[in-house]
Amino acid sequence: MLLLLLGIIFLHLAALVLLFVSTIVSVWTTGESTTSDLWTNCSTASGCNPASTGEWIQSVQAVMILSIIFSCLSLFLFFCQLFTLQKGGRFFLTGTFQILASLFVMSGAIIYTVMSPEWVPEGNSFGYSYILAWVAFPLALISGLIYVILRKRE
C-alpha cells in the first residue's frame, strides 16, 4: 500500500511540475531568432515584449493558472483525506479536482493550438513548453482517475 501511495504522489507531483514549467518557461513557440510564450514575445533583434492582449491568450493564461491551482488543491486534499477519510472511502473530491486540472490544461493547449497561427510568425514551431503542457494533460487525467478509483485502506 505504501508503494502505491508513493507512486500516486510521484505521478501527481510529476504532473504538477510539468504544469509549472509549461506555464512559466518562455518556449511555447520557437524560431531561429524568436521565442514566445503565454506572457512574452522575445527576439534577438528587439528584446522581450509583453504578449498580445487578445482575449484568447488571456484565456490560455487563465486556464493554465487554474490548472496549477486545481492540481495544488488536489494534492492538498489528498493529504487531508488520507488522514481524515474513513476506511473504505474513496478520494472523489481529490480526483475531481485533478480531473478538472487536466481539462483546464487541455483547454489551454487546444486554444493555443487553434489561435497561435494568427499570432506566431510563419517560420516558428511549437516549443518544449507547449509539448510539456500536452504531456501534463494525460498525467493529470490518469492521476485523477486513479484518485477516483482508489479506496482508503487501513
Side-chain angles (χ1 to χ4, degrees), residues 69-91:
I69 291 170
F70 272 71
S71 189
C72 288
L73 284 174
S74 177
L75 188 61
F76 177 73
L77 286 172
F78 175 67
F79 286 122
C80 289
Q81 286 183 322
L82 193 59
F83 296 111
T84 60
L85 198 63
Q86 294 178 355
K87 182 180 176 183
R90 292 188 184 255
F91 296 90

mmCIF file of all heavy atoms in Angstrom, residues 69-91:
data_model
loop_
_atom_site.group_PDB
_atom_site.id
_atom_site.type_symbol
_atom_site.label_atom_id
_atom_site.label_comp_id
_atom_site.label_asym_id
_atom_site.label_seq_id
_atom_site.Cartn_x
_atom_site.Cartn_y
_atom_site.Cartn_z
ATOM 1 N N ILE A 69 -3.579 25.729 -9.952
ATOM 2 C CA ILE A 69 -4.289 25.890 -8.677
ATOM 3 C C ILE A 69 -5.077 24.630 -8.332
ATOM 4 O O ILE A 69 -5.014 24.132 -7.201
ATOM 5 C CB ILE A 69 -5.217 27.129 -8.738
ATOM 6 C CG1 ILE A 69 -4.382 28.407 -8.785
ATOM 7 C CG2 ILE A 69 -6.188 27.152 -7.559
ATOM 8 C CD1 ILE A 69 -5.174 29.652 -9.077
ATOM 9 N N PHE A 70 -5.803 24.091 -9.296
ATOM 10 C CA PHE A 70 -6.603 22.895 -9.025
ATOM 11 C C PHE A 70 -5.723 21.684 -8.723
ATOM 12 O O PHE A 70 -6.069 20.851 -7.885
ATOM 13 C CB PHE A 70 -7.551 22.608 -10.189
ATOM 14 C CG PHE A 70 -8.862 23.311 -10.071
ATOM 15 C CD1 PHE A 70 -8.945 24.682 -10.238
ATOM 16 C CD2 PHE A 70 -10.015 22.615 -9.790
ATOM 17 C CE1 PHE A 70 -10.150 25.343 -10.123
ATOM 18 C CE2 PHE A 70 -11.235 23.265 -9.674
ATOM 19 C CZ PHE A 70 -11.299 24.630 -9.837
ATOM 20 N N SER A 71 -4.582 21.580 -9.376
ATOM 21 C CA SER A 71 -3.685 20.463 -9.109
ATOM 22 C C SER A 71 -3.072 20.587 -7.716
ATOM 23 O O SER A 71 -2.936 19.583 -7.001
ATOM 24 C CB SER A 71 -2.594 20.398 -10.174
ATOM 25 O OG SER A 71 -1.865 19.217 -10.043
ATOM 26 N N CYS A 72 -2.692 21.797 -7.312
ATOM 27 C CA CYS A 72 -2.173 22.014 -5.952
ATOM 28 C C CYS A 72 -3.248 21.716 -4.904
ATOM 29 O O CYS A 72 -2.971 21.068 -3.891
ATOM 30 C CB CYS A 72 -1.677 23.441 -5.789
ATOM 31 S SG CYS A 72 -0.150 23.802 -6.659
ATOM 32 N N LEU A 73 -4.461 22.193 -5.155
ATOM 33 C CA LEU A 73 -5.564 21.907 -4.233
ATOM 34 C C LEU A 73 -5.841 20.411 -4.156
ATOM 35 O O LEU A 73 -6.136 19.873 -3.080
ATOM 36 C CB LEU A 73 -6.832 22.645 -4.662
ATOM 37 C CG LEU A 73 -6.876 24.136 -4.375
ATOM 38 C CD1 LEU A 73 -8.131 24.758 -4.978
ATOM 39 C CD2 LEU A 73 -6.815 24.400 -2.894
ATOM 40 N N SER A 74 -5.736 19.733 -5.268
ATOM 41 C CA SER A 74 -5.955 18.295 -5.299
ATOM 42 C C SER A 74 -4.926 17.560 -4.445
ATOM 43 O O SER A 74 -5.269 16.635 -3.705
ATOM 44 C CB SER A 74 -5.914 17.801 -6.740
ATOM 45 O OG SER A 74 -6.046 16.410 -6.785
ATOM 46 N N LEU A 75 -3.675 17.962 -4.547
ATOM 47 C CA LEU A 75 -2.632 17.337 -3.731
ATOM 48 C C LEU A 75 -2.867 17.602 -2.249
ATOM 49 O O LEU A 75 -2.742 16.697 -1.416
ATOM 50 C CB LEU A 75 -1.250 17.840 -4.161
ATOM 51 C CG LEU A 75 -0.051 17.152 -3.541
ATOM 52 C CD1 LEU A 75 -0.031 15.666 -3.903
ATOM 53 C CD2 LEU A 75 1.229 17.828 -3.981
ATOM 54 N N PHE A 76 -3.230 18.841 -1.916
ATOM 55 C CA PHE A 76 -3.540 19.184 -0.524
ATOM 56 C C PHE A 76 -4.737 18.375 -0.019
ATOM 57 O O PHE A 76 -4.711 17.837 1.092
ATOM 58 C CB PHE A 76 -3.810 20.690 -0.419
ATOM 59 C CG PHE A 76 -4.216 21.134 0.952
ATOM 60 C CD1 PHE A 76 -3.286 21.197 1.972
ATOM 61 C CD2 PHE A 76 -5.531 21.483 1.215
ATOM 62 C CE1 PHE A 76 -3.659 21.597 3.247
ATOM 63 C CE2 PHE A 76 -5.914 21.887 2.474
ATOM 64 C CZ PHE A 76 -4.974 21.946 3.502
ATOM 65 N N LEU A 77 -5.783 18.274 -0.837
ATOM 66 C CA LEU A 77 -6.960 17.498 -0.446
ATOM 67 C C LEU A 77 -6.639 16.023 -0.285
ATOM 68 O O LEU A 77 -7.195 15.354 0.588
ATOM 69 C CB LEU A 77 -8.079 17.670 -1.476
ATOM 70 C CG LEU A 77 -8.809 18.991 -1.464
ATOM 71 C CD1 LEU A 77 -9.738 19.092 -2.664
ATOM 72 C CD2 LEU A 77 -9.584 19.157 -0.180
ATOM 73 N N PHE A 78 -5.740 15.504 -1.111
ATOM 74 C CA PHE A 78 -5.345 14.107 -0.986
ATOM 75 C C PHE A 78 -4.716 13.845 0.379
ATOM 76 O O PHE A 78 -5.066 12.876 1.059
ATOM 77 C CB PHE A 78 -4.376 13.712 -2.099
ATOM 78 C CG PHE A 78 -3.832 12.324 -1.955
ATOM 79 C CD1 PHE A 78 -4.664 11.223 -2.082
ATOM 80 C CD2 PHE A 78 -2.493 12.113 -1.683
ATOM 81 C CE1 PHE A 78 -4.174 9.930 -1.939
ATOM 82 C CE2 PHE A 78 -1.997 10.830 -1.550
ATOM 83 C CZ PHE A 78 -2.830 9.739 -1.679
ATOM 84 N N PHE A 79 -3.802 14.721 0.783
ATOM 85 C CA PHE A 79 -3.176 14.523 2.084
ATOM 86 C C PHE A 79 -4.182 14.699 3.219
ATOM 87 O O PHE A 79 -4.137 13.971 4.214
ATOM 88 C CB PHE A 79 -1.980 15.456 2.264
ATOM 89 C CG PHE A 79 -0.784 15.036 1.476
ATOM 90 C CD1 PHE A 79 -0.219 15.887 0.544
ATOM 91 C CD2 PHE A 79 -0.225 13.777 1.642
ATOM 92 C CE1 PHE A 79 0.882 15.498 -0.190
ATOM 93 C CE2 PHE A 79 0.880 13.377 0.906
ATOM 94 C CZ PHE A 79 1.437 14.239 -0.003
ATOM 95 N N CYS A 80 -5.105 15.659 3.086
ATOM 96 C CA CYS A 80 -6.142 15.829 4.110
ATOM 97 C C CYS A 80 -7.041 14.599 4.179
ATOM 98 O O CYS A 80 -7.339 14.101 5.274
ATOM 99 C CB CYS A 80 -6.977 17.069 3.822
ATOM 100 S SG CYS A 80 -6.114 18.611 4.088
ATOM 101 N N GLN A 81 -7.482 14.119 3.013
ATOM 102 C CA GLN A 81 -8.366 12.959 3.000
ATOM 103 C C GLN A 81 -7.638 11.690 3.431
ATOM 104 O O GLN A 81 -8.251 10.780 3.972
ATOM 105 C CB GLN A 81 -8.964 12.760 1.612
ATOM 106 C CG GLN A 81 -10.030 13.765 1.267
ATOM 107 C CD GLN A 81 -10.652 13.480 -0.091
ATOM 108 O OE1 GLN A 81 -9.965 13.083 -1.024
ATOM 109 N NE2 GLN A 81 -11.954 13.686 -0.189
ATOM 110 N N LEU A 82 -6.362 11.629 3.201
ATOM 111 C CA LEU A 82 -5.581 10.458 3.588
ATOM 112 C C LEU A 82 -5.634 10.251 5.091
ATOM 113 O O LEU A 82 -5.662 9.110 5.573
ATOM 114 C CB LEU A 82 -4.131 10.631 3.122
ATOM 115 C CG LEU A 82 -3.219 9.422 3.150
ATOM 116 C CD1 LEU A 82 -3.787 8.305 2.282
ATOM 117 C CD2 LEU A 82 -1.831 9.798 2.689
ATOM 118 N N PHE A 83 -5.695 11.338 5.846
ATOM 119 C CA PHE A 83 -5.709 11.234 7.301
ATOM 120 C C PHE A 83 -7.101 11.358 7.909
ATOM 121 O O PHE A 83 -7.299 11.010 9.068
ATOM 122 C CB PHE A 83 -4.779 12.290 7.911
ATOM 123 C CG PHE A 83 -3.347 12.072 7.542
ATOM 124 C CD1 PHE A 83 -2.698 12.951 6.691
ATOM 125 C CD2 PHE A 83 -2.646 10.981 8.021
ATOM 126 C CE1 PHE A 83 -1.382 12.740 6.338
ATOM 127 C CE2 PHE A 83 -1.326 10.759 7.673
ATOM 128 C CZ PHE A 83 -0.691 11.653 6.825
ATOM 129 N N THR A 84 -8.088 11.854 7.155
ATOM 130 C CA THR A 84 -9.417 12.051 7.734
ATOM 131 C C THR A 84 -10.494 11.147 7.159
ATOM 132 O O THR A 84 -11.536 10.968 7.780
ATOM 133 C CB THR A 84 -9.871 13.517 7.548
ATOM 134 O OG1 THR A 84 -9.929 13.825 6.159
ATOM 135 C CG2 THR A 84 -8.930 14.472 8.254
ATOM 136 N N LEU A 85 -10.270 10.574 5.988
ATOM 137 C CA LEU A 85 -11.273 9.750 5.324
ATOM 138 C C LEU A 85 -11.438 8.432 6.068
ATOM 139 O O LEU A 85 -10.471 7.850 6.555
ATOM 140 C CB LEU A 85 -10.841 9.492 3.876
ATOM 141 C CG LEU A 85 -11.909 9.034 2.889
ATOM 142 C CD1 LEU A 85 -12.971 10.098 2.718
ATOM 143 C CD2 LEU A 85 -11.261 8.744 1.541
ATOM 144 N N GLN A 86 -12.679 7.967 6.161
ATOM 145 C CA GLN A 86 -12.932 6.693 6.828
ATOM 146 C C GLN A 86 -12.445 5.542 5.969
ATOM 147 O O GLN A 86 -12.326 5.650 4.752
ATOM 148 C CB GLN A 86 -14.429 6.538 7.102
ATOM 149 C CG GLN A 86 -14.965 7.538 8.086
ATOM 150 C CD GLN A 86 -16.466 7.370 8.289
ATOM 151 O OE1 GLN A 86 -17.097 6.564 7.628
ATOM 152 N NE2 GLN A 86 -17.010 8.143 9.203
ATOM 153 N N LYS A 87 -12.205 4.418 6.625
ATOM 154 C CA LYS A 87 -11.739 3.227 5.926
ATOM 155 C C LYS A 87 -12.772 2.819 4.868
ATOM 156 O O LYS A 87 -13.969 2.779 5.131
ATOM 157 C CB LYS A 87 -11.534 2.098 6.925
ATOM 158 C CG LYS A 87 -11.006 0.838 6.313
ATOM 159 C CD LYS A 87 -10.825 -0.238 7.359
ATOM 160 C CE LYS A 87 -10.384 -1.523 6.701
ATOM 161 N NZ LYS A 87 -10.268 -2.603 7.678
ATOM 162 N N GLY A 88 -12.298 2.536 3.666
ATOM 163 C CA GLY A 88 -13.181 2.155 2.569
ATOM 164 C C GLY A 88 -13.689 3.323 1.762
ATOM 165 O O GLY A 88 -14.323 3.135 0.730
ATOM 166 N N GLY A 89 -13.403 4.545 2.188
ATOM 167 C CA GLY A 89 -13.856 5.732 1.461
ATOM 168 C C GLY A 89 -13.032 5.973 0.212
ATOM 169 O O GLY A 89 -11.897 5.532 0.082
ATOM 170 N N ARG A 90 -13.632 6.655 -0.729
ATOM 171 C CA ARG A 90 -12.940 6.967 -1.985
ATOM 172 C C ARG A 90 -12.540 8.439 -2.000
ATOM 173 O O ARG A 90 -13.164 9.279 -1.357
ATOM 174 C CB ARG A 90 -13.845 6.663 -3.174
ATOM 175 C CG ARG A 90 -14.099 5.194 -3.352
ATOM 176 C CD ARG A 90 -14.835 4.954 -4.645
ATOM 177 N NE ARG A 90 -15.184 3.567 -4.808
ATOM 178 C CZ ARG A 90 -14.559 2.750 -5.639
ATOM 179 N NH1 ARG A 90 -13.569 3.180 -6.359
ATOM 180 N NH2 ARG A 90 -14.946 1.500 -5.744
ATOM 181 N N PHE A 91 -11.538 8.735 -2.777
ATOM 182 C CA PHE A 91 -10.986 10.079 -2.874
ATOM 183 C C PHE A 91 -11.660 10.841 -4.028
ATOM 184 O O PHE A 91 -10.991 11.322 -4.940
ATOM 185 C CB PHE A 91 -9.473 9.994 -3.098
ATOM 186 C CG PHE A 91 -8.722 9.383 -1.957
ATOM 187 C CD1 PHE A 91 -8.506 8.011 -1.908
ATOM 188 C CD2 PHE A 91 -8.237 10.161 -0.929
ATOM 189 C CE1 PHE A 91 -7.814 7.436 -0.867
ATOM 190 C CE2 PHE A 91 -7.535 9.600 0.123
ATOM 191 C CZ PHE A 91 -7.331 8.237 0.159
#
